[in-house]
Amino acid sequence: MAVTAQKTTTKQLNTVYIILFAISSGHFFNDSIQAVVPAMFPILEKSLNLTYAQIGWIAFMVNMTSSVMQPVFGYIADRRPLPFLLPAGMFMSMLGLIGFGLAPNFSIILISVLFIGLGSAIFHPEGSRVAYMAAGNKRGLAQSIYQVGGNFGQSMAPIFTALIFVPFGQRGVLSFVLVAFFGMAILSFVSKWYKNQAMPAIKQSVKGTEKNGKRPIHRKIKIAMLLLVFIVFARSWYSAGITNFYQFYLIGDYGLSIKQAQIYIFIFMIAGVIGTFSGGPLADRFGKRNIILLSLIGAAPIAFILPHVSLIFVAPLVFLIGFIITSSFSVSVVYAQELLPKKVGMASGLTVGLAFGMGAIGAVFFGTLADLTSMKFVMIFVSLLPLLGFLSLFLPSDEKVRELSVEA
């Protein structure tokens, strides 16, 4: 019995890199599929004569479906882990891709992206759980490896636009069905490890929780989670403004072509990939709350001047903003998981999911605002959002989080 317990502890301390890289690859495929939606915006605007508000509604549908449902699936998975949901979510996204590629009008597009969003919602909580369990004692690094796959997938949107959708149009979306097949194969491998290695430990944990009874969540933890979600929401609104609408600002105010505008969006997003990967190890060394604080406050002055500079300065500025503001992406997930260590799926769903849902609302708001005013006004408004990072000063320190999680 003692030997078994010792083996279990050793397993928990070891970082299972093959699973981390596999789930990161699955995250890449999942978010590449989701990136197809904003990548098609410049094409759909012309081919279907969509307004900025309609484009905002498409972004709202895919992000809100993905976001709002993530905490729901996370809550379900916390009570009863379901490894098969990983490949099942990818299959759902594949159905959405087929509909999106063949959609003749705005209504069918909305239905199709709903399926893509639902597939992403199914994937993310279980993906975060797998990364958490495979992390050992390197949670910051593990979340960075996992999240960088998703951010890299999202960063491919400008490349998809320039190389696939501009020459091939809407039907080019159908080529991503092959991406979904690859994703299902990798996630089937991960779900098998999840089932064979992790499920016994999870079931034991669930039994222990039922035996000891449910403890109410500490009031300070609830307040910290609400504050964290709001901070992540501010970051998501800023990212939604840049990734969905900055390309139109570049086309309209700087006179760039669709392909040229995609270069700057790609720079912003690939900088986000680097920032996401760097944030986890930095948080392991300097503290999670400190990185969350610095990521928004550090980006605020650069974001403020971005709409006012000449084109020659745009590339270095969007790179710096992308790197700094996303350095807390994986960190905020780990911070939430440590606030709610017995509800890892729901914590991940709230930070990655629900907060992105707020970003979806932002996309609708920005699109409507652009129709009523101008795209430059929207970009100036967006540039003020990182200032909300000062709210991070009210988050509990890492040491206080550990104390609260023990009491919970």
Side-chain angles (χ1 to χ4, degrees), residues 58 71 73 76 157-158 175 221 229 291 301 304:
I58 295 171
F73 283 112
I76 294 170
S175 63
I221 291 179
V229 168
I291 298 300
F304 182 75

Side-chain angles (χ1 to χ4, degrees), residues 196-217:
N196 293 338
Q197 302 297 324
M199 288 292 283
I202 293 172
K203 287 178 179 177
Q204 188 64 35
S205 174
V206 170
K207 285 180 182 178
T209 302
E210 291 173 352
K211 184 178 180 181
N212 296 327
K214 294 182 179 180
R215 289 186 180 181
I217 299 174

Side-chain angles (χ1 to χ4, degrees), residues 167-401:
F168 297 106
Q170 189 176 344
R171 295 298 174 93
V173 172
L174 298 175
S175 63
F176 286 84
V177 172
L178 187 61
V179 173
F181 273 116
F182 277 119
M184 282 190 286
I186 290 173
L187 292 176
S188 295
F189 163 73
V190 174
S191 66
K192 185 177 179 180
W193 174 87
Y194 186 177
K195 181 179 180 180
N196 293 338
Q197 302 297 324
M199 288 292 283
I202 293 172
K203 287 178 179 177
Q204 188 64 35
S205 174
V206 170
K207 285 180 182 178
T209 302
E210 291 173 352
K211 184 178 180 181
N212 296 327
K214 294 182 179 180
R215 289 186 180 181
I217 299 174
H218 197 290
R219 179 175 171 272
K220 290 183 179 179
I221 291 179
K222 291 180 181 178
I223 293 172
M225 277 301 303
L226 285 172
L227 188 57
L228 179 65
V229 168
F230 187 77
I231 292 165
V232 175
F233 135 74
R235 187 185 66 209
S236 299
W237 264 49
Y238 183 83
S239 296
I242 297 296
T243 56
N244 291 316
F245 294 104
Y246 190 56
Q247 56 189 316
F248 296 112
Y249 178 66
L250 290 169
I251 293 167
D253 284 56
Y254 290 91
L256 301 185
S257 66
I258 293 176
K259 282 189 176 182
Q260 289 171 331
Q262 301 311 306
I263 295 171
Y264 296 92
I265 305 302
F266 178 72
I267 290 171
F268 174 79
M269 300 185 81
I270 204 67
V273 173
I274 300 169
T276 298
F277 185 76
S278 303
L282 287 172
D284 285 340
R285 181 168 183 178
F286 298 108
K288 298 171 188 65
R289 191 192 71 162
N290 293 336
I291 298 300
I292 294 170
L293 174 66
L294 291 173
S295 70
L296 282 165
I297 293 177
I302 313 172
F304 182 75
I305 65 172
L306 179 63
H308 310 286
V309 299
S310 59
L311 186 62
I312 193 172
F313 296 109
V314 170
L317 290 183
V318 295
F319 181 88
L320 285 173
I321 296 168
F323 176 84
I324 296 170
I325 207 164
T326 55
S327 62
S328 63
F329 189 90
S330 60
V331 178
S332 58
V333 179
V334 178
Y335 187 90
Q337 289 174 341
E338 293 187 355
L339 277 171
L340 298 170
K342 297 176 184 176
K343 300 179 185 293
V344 172
M346 191 167 70
S348 303
L350 285 169
T351 46
V352 181
L354 189 58
F356 269 97
M358 299 300 180
I361 295 173
V364 174
F365 174 75
F366 295 146
T368 305
L369 190 61
D371 286 334
L372 294 174
T373 57
S374 68
M375 193 55 70
K376 183 162 188 175
F377 180 83
V378 170
M379 287 300 109
I380 292 172
F381 178 84
V382 167
S383 72
L384 301 175
L385 291 171
L387 291 173
L388 293 173
F390 281 104
L391 293 172
S392 304
L393 291 168
F394 300 100
L395 286 173
S397 66
D398 291 24
E399 293 77 14
K400 187 64 177 176
V401 168

